[in-house]
Amino acid sequence: MTTPVCPKCDSKDATKSGVVNERQRFKCRACGYHYTVAKVGREVNPYYVVKALQLYIEGVSYREIERLLGVSHVSVMNWVKKYGVKAPRQPEYHPTYKILNQKELAEFFQKPENLKSAGLVVTELGDKYMMIRWERFRAG
C-alpha cells in the first residue's frame, strides 16, 4: 500500500496513525497533520467549478449560477475566494442570458440583427449552450 499525499502540505512522508470508521488514518511527518485515505463528502466535478467561475467573471450572480449549474451558491462563493477570482465592475453594461439547444443557437446566428450592438459569449453547458449578451443600460 502506498502512502497517500498529505492534503495540507503535499508531502508523501507519513506514518500510519490508527483506523477511523474502518479507514486507515495517517499522520504527516512534515507538518503533523492527521488525514484519512478517502475524503468524506462529495467531490464536485472540476467542469462545474470552471463553468461557475467563468459565469461569475461574465457577471452572472451567485444565485443565478446556482440555478443554472445546480451547485450551491455558497460553493461558488468559496471557489471565487479560493481561486482569487475577481470580476470586473460593469456599471454601464448588464448581462442577459439564454439557454439554447444546438438548433436554436444555429437559428440565432443566422439572423444578422442578433449580432449587432451587444457583446456576446457562448459557452457549453452540458448538452445545451448558454449565450450571454451585454447591453448598455439605456437612459430612460
Side-chain angles (χ1 to χ4, degrees):
M1 179 175 148
T2 61
T3 305
V5 175
C6 174
K8 193 169 184 181
C9 72
D10 292 329
S11 171
K12 292 185 179 181
D13 189 21
T15 59
K16 289 184 178 182
S17 181
V19 176
V20 176
N21 292 330
E22 300 177 7
R23 290 184 303 155
Q24 180 65 57
R25 189 170 188 223
F26 293 91
K27 181 179 181 183
C28 178
R29 287 184 178 155
C31 68
Y33 186 71
H34 286 272
Y35 59 97
T36 56
V37 177
K39 181 178 185 263
V40 177
R42 186 173 59 116
E43 290 268 338
V44 175
N45 187 324
Y47 170 84
Y48 291 104
V49 176
V50 171
K51 283 297 173 190
L53 294 174
Q54 285 175 338
L55 294 174
Y56 175 74
I57 289 171
E58 299 299 340
V60 180
S61 73
Y62 292 127
R63 296 273 182 180
E64 284 298 311
I65 295 170
E66 177 180 44
R67 289 182 196 103
L68 291 167
L69 299 180
V71 296
S72 165
H73 66 280
V74 176
S75 293
V76 177
M77 284 188 271
N78 289 336
W79 297 332
V80 167
K81 191 184 302 181
K82 177 179 179 180
Y83 296 108
V85 174
K86 294 190 187 219
R89 287 189 38 91
Q90 302 166 354
E92 295 180 28
Y93 293 89
H94 68 284
T96 57
Y97 66 89
K98 290 182 182 176
I99 307 296
L100 306 169
N101 64 31
Q102 188 173 4
K103 182 181 178 207
E104 293 167 333
L105 186 64
E107 289 170 358
F108 178 86
F109 279 118
Q110 288 175 351
K111 298 177 184 171
E113 65 270 11
N114 288 337
L115 305 176
K116 292 183 181 173
S117 64
L120 182 69
V121 169
V122 177
T123 184
E124 173 201 6
L125 199 60
D127 62 342
K128 299 205 187 274
Y129 297 91
M130 177 180 206
M131 182 183 63
I132 304 171
R133 259 178 102 103
W134 288 270
E135 298 176 13
R136 263 189 201 273
F137 285 116
R138 307 245 192 264

